[in-house]
Amino acid sequence: MKKKLTDLLFSSKMSIQGKMFMVGGCVGSVLLSVMFLVVLLTGQPFIVASALGAGAVVLILATVYSYHSRNYTFGSSVVILLLNGLVTPLGYFTSGGAESGSPAWFVVCGMFVFVLFRGRLMWFFLLFSVGVFGAISWYSAVYPESVTLLEGGYAAVAFDTFMAAAAACILAGLVLRFQRILLERETRLAQEQQREIQKMNDAQNRFFSSMSHEIRTPINTIIGVNEMTLRERDLPQEIVDNATGIQNASKMLLSLINDILDLSKIQSGRMEVVEGQYETTRMLSEIVNLLWNRAREKGLRFDINVGEAVPSMLYGDEMRIKQVIVNLLTNAIKYTSEGTVTLNVDGEKLERNRFLLRIDVSDTGAGIRKESIPYLFDSFRRVDEQDNKAIEGTGLGLSIAKQLVELMGGTISVDSIYTKGSTFRVEVPQNIVNDAPANYRQISAISQENKTYLQAFEAPEAQVLIVDDNEMNRVVAAKLLRGTMVKVDMASSGRECLDLTREKRYDAIFMDHEMPDMDGIETLDRLRTQENGLCRETPVIALTANAGSDMGRFYADKGFQAYLAKPIHSSLLEATLMQLLPSELIERTTLSGEEESMFVGQSLRKRAVMITTDCLCDLPEKMVHDLGIRLMPYYIVTDEGRFRDLSEIDADNLLRYIEAGKKTVRTEASTVGEYEAFFGEALSAAEQVIHLSLGSNYDKGFQNAMHAAESFNNVHVVDTGQLTCGLGILAVRAARMAREGRNAEEILGDVAACIPRIRLEFIVPQAATMLQKRFASRVVGIVTRIFNFAPVFRIRKGSIRVSSFCTGYVTEPAEQFVRKTLSAATDADESALYVSFSGCSFKERDQILSYINKYKPFDRIVMQKASATISANCGFGSFSLAYLRKEKA
């Protein structure tokens, strides 16, 4: 039984609460039993002994029950209730109260509450314990006669206090000691698991490295021999098609191997950033040449735009930046069936000769569902897999891209509209080497269609040695060099290489790294110090199946002049050899393939921030155009259909339709999908979009805009609580700040500060419309009908509220409204007053202007006919006045 309990206490089968309860229960039972016997034998009051005995029995029973039932919460609750609610208070009143050892037991019980419970149950029992102790302390202070003092005087009190303190100390110490033992065991276990995980990671990395090497070797043979087949002229089309299929499949397999190897390095922390200077134009040309033909085969347009701010030469990890761009472009091409794939390269200069390189990859493909975006960069996970099951892929590309970007200190984000397309944005800080603008006209692509092989050069007098322990690798490399007419010798080991270099001088040596007996590095070392050797100064190119961005630095440190990763690309093989051969040996150089035009241009500089708002802002068209504000339409729904406000229907036509007795007229906001398309279009012209929305209390416009903005990283939706001219004031102010070059944070801050300063009121001579739309109560409707009042509404804290009534006939309510509103505008910013009107004649408009100038002239009055949506809700003869109040000093 003892061994079984001990094993259970230190096993993972029992919860922490159970372990602590069992330890506390066992130790507490023993201590209470001992104290019961001591009190009984020393002649203490019988009631004290009874309390201790009862406590011991209850604790023993609760411990046994909990052990068998595994219901430790019940056992803990019973113990705390009995000890704190009965046993300890009883002992307190019968053994001297505060002058005895009873308070020590309250402390121990309070400690056990923290150990045994959590959450609400812990707080309940803590309050219960503190409450009980507070109650009995108060009662004993008010009624001191209720406390029975111990017989024997000070000696008895000292003995009782000693017993209680000793028992409490032992019990608390044992519990804390047990906790420490548990913590030490868990720590050791965690450390052992960490070591095991590290061993597994090391084994995994060794496996991936070995797998990469072992798989690349046969793929090198497949791709190399297959390329020799494709170089042959006048082959039957069936053979060409078969060979092309083999080539594409091999490259796909190679790409998968590279992704798995990269992911392994990133997860193990062995991926390093290898920085160096690079030409941006050359890098982009290489990317284009890799992917343009693939886009063309799918019938896609491939555009590349380079910003005028991009420097011609930067300092950073070119290989990793290129890998990220290639991964994003590959994904874009893969998931786009028609339309365009666009690469935009731009950025901005930072402090101290730093440049924030900004790369946007956009497509017109399938897009990404909003709920899938949070999982987009997870490894081995493909979002919307049911829709994309016909598209090949493993789900590693984006995960690797994200981790590489973060490794370089950058960020990656995505904006996507489902079924419309996606835009991935990468921002990576780089150092500027040459800040002269990159020449985008130098970017070109080489067509691979109907490509006829042409060797890069011919050097019939050059002597080349290929060293590799794998015979097929030697044969493939030799065949790939056949067109250059160089003379090739082959060696199967490092020792054979050294034997040949004693007898013959070579102009270049290709040497495999991984060879048995003597590897490539050792062979190179011996070659450089070879006695009577003829190739001490000969350039040596490493051949390796170990791919990685740090391989170039690794082999350079070992003394190699260059390296080529397997499978060997024929054009790189020829280009590397041509670069290292003495120029006098090269007789002729040619161009491989023909250059074709590319869709390359200099990107138009996007504006930093674009202000958009709903078309209910009631601003003049010219002002909207001049400030670059984009308007999101609302819709009017009638029996005849759904019409876009401003462009398909205006206020005058709608009011005539309503006046003709047509009943079905309602307004509605754009859908989430329409907002997504609107935001996507806005982001094509700006880095950030701030959308000033109607108040969330008015309709679904704000909610739909918010849901749409979740698909984008750079769209900010603001609940302005305003409509009509109040919304227009905010849009004008924000747009002017955007034109001044202020950033999104500054503009959002200013908008938030201005919202409470806007004063917007409007008069509605025909209140029936507002009543029908539930913007006014029935009481207001009754009052206006009986007394022929015209209600005045005010926007306050995002709600439409009745502020007053105007009386009279014809023009009298209008004059009263202007006088009341402007007379109260003592704190108005007099630079501009915004007026919108619905169904007013030219004469009525002139009268409104005359009233304004009569009661409070403004520097400028912006007057605009209300949108159809506003008119549908307010009716004939309504108009509004809006201004911005001055800032409080």
Side-chain angles (χ1 to χ4, degrees):
M1 175 69 180
K2 178 182 177 182
K3 186 177 185 305
K4 183 178 179 183
L5 178 59
T6 305
D7 292 341
L8 189 61
L9 286 175
F10 291 106
S11 72
S12 58
K13 295 180 180 179
M14 183 181 286
S15 66
I16 294 294
Q17 180 194 24
K19 293 176 181 179
M20 299 310 302
F21 175 74
M22 293 302 297
V23 171
C26 293
V27 175
S29 299
V30 172
L31 286 175
L32 284 177
S33 300
V34 171
M35 291 183 66
F36 166 72
L37 293 174
V38 171
V39 169
L40 198 62
L41 293 174
T42 55
Q44 298 292 326
F46 179 75
I47 192 167
V48 177
S50 301
L52 291 172
V57 171
V58 169
L59 194 53
I60 292 170
L61 291 176
T63 304
V64 172
Y65 171 79
S66 299
Y67 173 72
H68 288 288
S69 66
R70 300 291 190 269
N71 189 350
Y72 304 110
T73 300
F74 173 77
S76 302
S77 302
V78 169
V79 168
I80 295 298
L81 285 172
L82 251 106
L83 289 181
N84 274 10
L86 180 62
V87 176
T88 307
L90 191 60
Y92 179 89
F93 283 109
T94 59
S95 60
E99 296 181 355
S100 67
S102 299
W105 289 109
F106 278 105
V107 174
V108 172
C109 291
M111 182 194 73
F112 266 92
V113 169
F114 284 101
V115 171
L116 296 176
F117 301 102
R118 61 182 178 181
R120 294 180 178 177
L121 211 54
M122 181 193 74
W123 292 111
F124 169 75
F125 281 112
L126 181 63
L127 291 174
F128 170 75
S129 301
V130 172
V132 169
F133 186 63
I136 63 176
S137 298
W138 171 82
Y139 189 82
S140 64
V142 176
Y143 304 102
E145 65 275 8
S146 63
V147 178
T148 303
L149 299 178
L150 292 173
E151 296 180 3
Y154 182 78
V157 172
F159 177 76
D160 183 74
T161 303
F162 166 75
M163 291 290 295
C169 181
I170 293 171
L171 183 58
L174 287 173
V175 170
L176 293 176
R177 175 59 182 164
F178 181 71
Q179 275 194 318
R180 181 176 176 178
I181 293 172
L182 286 179
L183 179 61
E184 289 173 349
R185 287 175 63 90
E186 293 296 331
T187 302
R188 285 197 301 271
L189 181 61
Q191 290 172 346
E192 290 174 4
Q193 290 177 339
Q194 185 65 35
R195 285 192 290 269
E196 289 297 321
I197 292 171
Q198 187 60 46
K199 287 180 182 178
M200 292 175 62
N201 285 336
D202 292 342
Q204 173 184 284
N205 294 331
R206 288 194 298 271
F207 168 75
F208 281 134
S209 179
S210 174
M211 181 192 71
S212 171
H213 182 273
E214 295 303 323
I215 294 180
R216 282 174 180 274
T217 299
I219 288 181
N220 180 54
T221 302
I222 295 170
I223 292 178
V225 174
N226 190 69
E227 183 167 338
M228 297 308 301
T229 302
L230 289 172
R231 286 184 182 183
E232 298 295 329
R233 301 174 185 271
D234 302 324
L235 287 175
Q237 187 61 40
E238 183 179 359
I239 294 178
V240 173
D241 292 342
N242 291 342
T244 302
I246 293 172
Q247 187 179 48
N248 292 336
S250 300
K251 289 180 178 178
M252 190 188 309
L253 179 59
L254 182 63
S255 175
L256 176 60
I257 294 168
N258 290 338
D259 283 348
I260 293 175
L261 188 62
D262 282 341
L263 185 65
S264 171
K265 284 187 175 182
I266 291 171
Q267 291 180 342
S268 64
R270 296 189 298 114
M271 182 70 76
E272 296 180 358
V273 175
V274 182
E275 295 185 324
Q277 63 184 40
Y278 62 92
E279 297 178 14
T280 51
T281 303
R282 180 181 57 79
M283 180 188 73
L284 294 174
S285 291
E286 292 174 0
I287 292 170
V288 167
N289 280 308
L290 280 172
L291 296 169
W292 175 65
N293 197 62
R294 191 182 302 181
R296 183 177 175 182
E297 287 173 353
K298 289 191 68 174
L300 303 176
R301 178 184 172 94
F302 188 12
D303 291 354
I304 177 168
N305 301 309
V306 183
E308 59 183 10
V310 178
S312 59
M313 187 170 287
L314 296 170
Y315 186 88
D317 193 335
E318 176 189 7
M319 178 175 288
R320 291 308 173 193
I321 291 174
K322 192 190 305 182
Q323 183 178 353
V324 169
I325 299 174
V326 167
N327 278 4
L328 295 179
L329 284 172
T330 300
N331 249 38
I333 294 170
K334 188 189 301 182
Y335 289 96
T336 303
S337 56
E338 60 180 1
T340 305
V341 172
T342 304
L343 171 63
N344 286 307
V345 182
D346 207 337
E348 58 186 274
K349 192 170 182 179
L350 305 175
E351 73 287 348
R352 295 185 180 180
N353 217 35
R354 295 273 285 172
F355 184 78
L356 185 64
L357 183 64
R358 185 177 298 118
I359 300 153
D360 290 340
V361 174
S362 305
D363 63 65
T364 57
I368 306 162
R369 295 181 191 271
K370 195 167 15 184
E371 59 270 21
S372 299
I373 289 179
Y375 312 105
L376 191 61
F377 297 104
D378 290 355
S379 300
F380 298 103
R381 181 161 184 168
R382 300 178 66 200
V383 299
D384 302 335
E385 192 158 4
Q386 188 62 32
D387 297 336
N388 303 317
K389 58 185 177 182
I391 300 175
E392 66 207 18
T394 60
L396 285 177
L398 290 178
S399 174
I400 290 171
K402 181 177 187 294
Q403 294 180 77
L404 288 177
V405 169
E406 291 176 349
L407 193 65
M408 293 184 288
T411 60
I412 184 170
S413 59
V414 60
D415 291 333
S416 185
I417 305 174
Y418 185 58
T419 73
K420 299 293 184 181
S422 306
T423 297
F424 286 84
R425 166 165 291 186
V426 172
E427 292 183 331
V428 182
Q430 303 281 276
N431 290 323
I432 299 174
V433 177
N434 185 348
D435 59 0
N439 187 354
Y440 69 90
R441 294 182 178 85
Q442 292 178 357
I443 301 174
S444 60
I446 300 175
S447 172
Q448 304 295 320
E449 186 179 8
N450 300 324
K451 178 180 175 181
T452 301
Y453 168 73
L454 258 177
Q455 66 274 25
F457 68 95
E458 288 180 359
E461 299 301 320
Q463 299 286 340
V464 174
L465 176 62
I466 300 173
V467 186
D468 199 311
D469 62 302
N470 186 288
E471 182 181 2
M472 283 307 301
N473 284 346
R474 299 194 301 270
V475 170
V476 167
K479 285 187 174 183
L480 290 176
L481 290 173
R482 184 188 299 167
T484 64
M485 301 178 67
V486 299
K487 294 181 175 65
V488 177
D489 289 338
M490 291 184 283
S492 61
S493 67
R495 297 189 183 280
E496 186 178 351
C497 167
L498 295 175
D499 291 340
L500 289 174
T501 54
R502 284 194 190 95
E503 306 294 332
K504 188 174 182 179
R505 184 185 180 281
Y506 293 98
D507 299 299
I509 298 174
F510 291 95
M511 187 174 299
D512 183 34
H513 178 189
E514 301 283 346
M515 293 187 293
D517 189 26
M518 186 188 299
D519 66 14
I521 296 174
E522 184 180 352
T523 304
L524 176 63
D525 291 340
R526 295 193 182 189
L527 181 70
R528 295 303 185 212
T529 59
Q530 188 179 34
E531 187 177 352
N532 300 322
L534 302 176
C535 299
R536 290 184 178 183
E537 306 298 328
T538 299
V540 180
I541 302 102
L543 302 177
T544 179
N546 300 320
S549 64
D550 51 352
M551 288 296 103
R553 183 173 61 181
F554 174 80
Y555 286 111
D557 292 342
K558 297 300 180 182
F560 290 93
Q561 278 64 52
Y563 89 100
L564 292 172
K566 298 176 183 178
I568 300 170
H569 196 285
S570 61
S571 61
L572 288 176
L573 179 68
E574 292 182 1
T576 304
L577 183 58
M578 184 172 69
Q579 184 180 9
L580 295 176
L581 283 177
S583 57
E584 62 270 14
L585 294 179
I586 299 174
E587 294 186 356
R588 184 169 69 90
T589 59
T590 59
L591 287 175
S592 179
E594 63 176 20
E595 291 203 2
E596 296 194 3
S597 62
M598 264 296 294
F599 307 114
V600 181
Q602 191 165 23
S603 64
L604 296 175
R605 189 87 174 158
K606 286 185 179 181
R607 67 172 87 173
V609 181
M610 176 180 287
I611 304 302
T612 65
T613 188
D614 299 314
C615 69
L616 283 63
C617 61
D618 293 344
L619 292 173
E621 185 177 352
K622 186 177 185 306
M623 179 179 285
V624 170
H625 179 270
D626 292 345
L627 291 174
I629 302 171
R630 292 200 181 184
L631 301 182
M632 184 66 195
Y634 262 59
Y635 290 87
I636 305 296
V637 180
T638 69
D639 293 334
E640 280 70 31
R642 183 174 185 255
F643 301 96
R644 182 180 295 185
D645 198 348
L646 297 185
S647 60
E648 295 177 346
I649 191 171
D650 64 9
D652 293 338
N653 292 332
L654 177 65
L655 290 173
R656 283 194 292 269
Y657 177 85
I658 295 173
E659 193 177 29
K662 305 294 184 179
K663 298 296 182 183
T664 307
V665 174
R666 61 184 175 87
T667 62
E668 68 178 30
S670 296
T671 63
V672 174
E674 288 167 337
Y675 270 106
E676 286 179 344
F678 176 74
F679 291 151
E681 184 180 350
L683 282 172
S684 66
E687 304 292 344
Q688 303 269 344
V689 170
I690 295 177
H691 181 73
L692 304 177
S693 177
L694 286 183
S696 56
N697 294 330
Y698 303 145
D699 61 13
K700 293 183 178 180
F702 173 73
Q703 285 80 5
N704 290 350
M706 284 294 292
H707 287 311
E710 291 174 2
S711 298
F712 306 92
N713 284 299
N714 304 320
V715 175
H716 313 275
V717 179
V718 180
D719 179 0
T720 65
Q722 294 291 330
L723 47 74
T724 186
C725 296
L727 188 61
I729 291 174
L730 291 173
V732 169
R733 187 178 178 91
R736 285 175 176 161
M737 292 183 69
R739 290 173 68 88
E740 293 170 2
R742 311 286 283 276
N743 60 41
E745 289 74 17
E746 291 176 307
I747 298 173
L748 288 169
D750 185 78
V751 168
C754 285
I755 287 175
R757 291 169 49 202
I758 291 178
R759 182 70 173 264
L760 169 64
E761 295 190 10
F762 56 95
I763 184 171
V764 181
Q766 300 178 10
T769 307
M770 294 292 287
L771 182 64
Q772 182 183 357
K773 302 296 181 181
R774 296 184 179 179
F775 289 124
S777 65
R778 291 185 178 180
V779 174
V780 172
I782 294 172
V783 170
T784 55
R785 282 196 301 271
I786 294 175
F787 299 102
N788 196 27
F789 287 169
V792 174
F793 295 89
R794 177 186 298 175
I795 303 297
R796 185 177 177 82
K797 294 183 179 180
S799 300
I800 300 176
R801 303 178 183 181
V802 176
S803 63
S804 63
F805 294 93
C806 293
T807 60
Y809 298 93
V810 193
T811 61
E812 291 179 9
E815 184 174 4
Q816 286 181 36
F817 167 61
V818 173
R819 177 173 52 78
K820 286 181 179 180
T821 302
L822 297 186
S823 297
T826 55
D827 58 348
D829 181 347
E830 297 175 359
S831 60
L833 176 71
Y834 290 78
V835 183
S836 69
F837 56 86
S838 173
C840 295
S841 64
F842 286 107
K843 182 179 179 181
E844 289 170 331
R845 296 177 209 172
D846 291 339
Q847 286 177 334
I848 293 171
L849 284 174
S850 66
Y851 297 151
I852 293 171
N853 290 321
K854 176 181 177 181
Y855 292 109
K856 190 174 183 65
F858 283 78
D859 297 341
R860 184 166 60 113
I861 299 175
V862 180
M863 201 165 190
Q864 173 63 26
K865 181 171 64 176
S867 63
T869 305
I870 294 294
S871 298
N873 290 295
C874 296
F876 278 100
S878 60
F879 69 96
S880 67
L881 301 177
Y883 57 86
L884 189 66
R885 290 181 291 181
K886 296 176 182 177
E887 290 186 81
K888 293 181 180 180

